[in-house]
Amino acid sequence: MASLDFPRMGTIQQAAEASGIPVYRVRQLCKVGTVRSVQCGRKTLVNLTSLAEWMQGGAEPPQQPGIHRVSL
């Protein structure tokens, strides 16, 4: 059986503390889709791996087929 590689996730506050990026900027990066994130109830969970890749000069993550960002 193949092992699953789950991404590290954290709240916006945790992502800001770990990266040194201000909370408002992490929120912006998630909102525009530059950094992957998911809405979990009232909290936004940030894909910390995606944030680290962006910080290292990585490009915006490609949209996955069948997965769409939903705005409420």
Side-chain angles (χ1 to χ4, degrees), residues 5-61:
D5 185 23
F6 290 102
R8 288 185 45 228
M9 304 295 282
T11 63
I12 288 178
Q13 183 67 39
Q14 291 168 334
E17 290 172 3
S19 65
I21 297 173
V23 171
Y24 79 91
R25 183 68 174 129
V26 174
R27 192 172 284 115
Q28 279 181 328
L29 293 168
C30 294
K31 186 175 181 177
V32 299
T34 301
V35 171
R36 291 179 190 254
S37 64
V38 294
Q39 199 68 28
C40 186
R42 294 184 63 164
K43 292 198 179 270
T44 300
L45 296 179
V46 180
N47 182 321
L48 300 175
T49 305
S50 176
L51 179 60
E53 289 172 358
W54 176 80
M55 289 177 68
Q56 294 173 356
E60 184 174 322

